[in-house]
Amino acid sequence: MILGACLAWVLVDHINKGLPFILSFTASGFIYIAVADLMPSLHRRVRFGDTVNQLVLIFAGIVLVWSFNFLESS
């Protein structure tokens, strides 16, 4: 964790264009963790289709954040 924080601090000037995507991916991961704790049924189902469904929803969240960023810049 400390190594990742130091690496991000050093590289922040070089990754400005990709930062919104990195942050949206990270935020969607934390939102997934929060929702998974609120919905214990997500832990019981381990079928491939359910995993794909969850990944599609995470990707949809990333696209939503990207679209807000696109609308804000235009």
Side-chain angles (χ1 to χ4, degrees):
M1 184 172 59
I2 294 172
L3 179 63
C6 291
L7 187 63
W9 182 63
V10 169
L11 295 177
V12 73
D13 291 332
H14 303 289
I15 58 171
N16 280 336
K17 289 184 181 182
L19 197 58
F21 299 106
I22 295 168
L23 291 176
S24 62
F25 179 77
T26 305
S28 66
F30 279 111
I31 290 171
Y32 171 77
I33 291 169
V35 170
D37 285 343
L38 293 174
M39 296 180 198
S41 62
L42 289 176
H43 293 291
R44 284 180 272 200
R45 293 185 292 168
V46 292
R47 293 180 299 197
F48 180 73
D50 294 332
T51 302
V52 170
N53 188 26
Q54 292 172 19
L55 290 174
V56 166
L57 291 173
I58 288 171
F59 181 72
I62 292 170
V63 169
L64 183 66
V65 170
W66 177 80
S67 64
F68 285 148
N69 187 31
F70 177 75
L71 290 173
E72 181 181 273
S73 64
S74 50

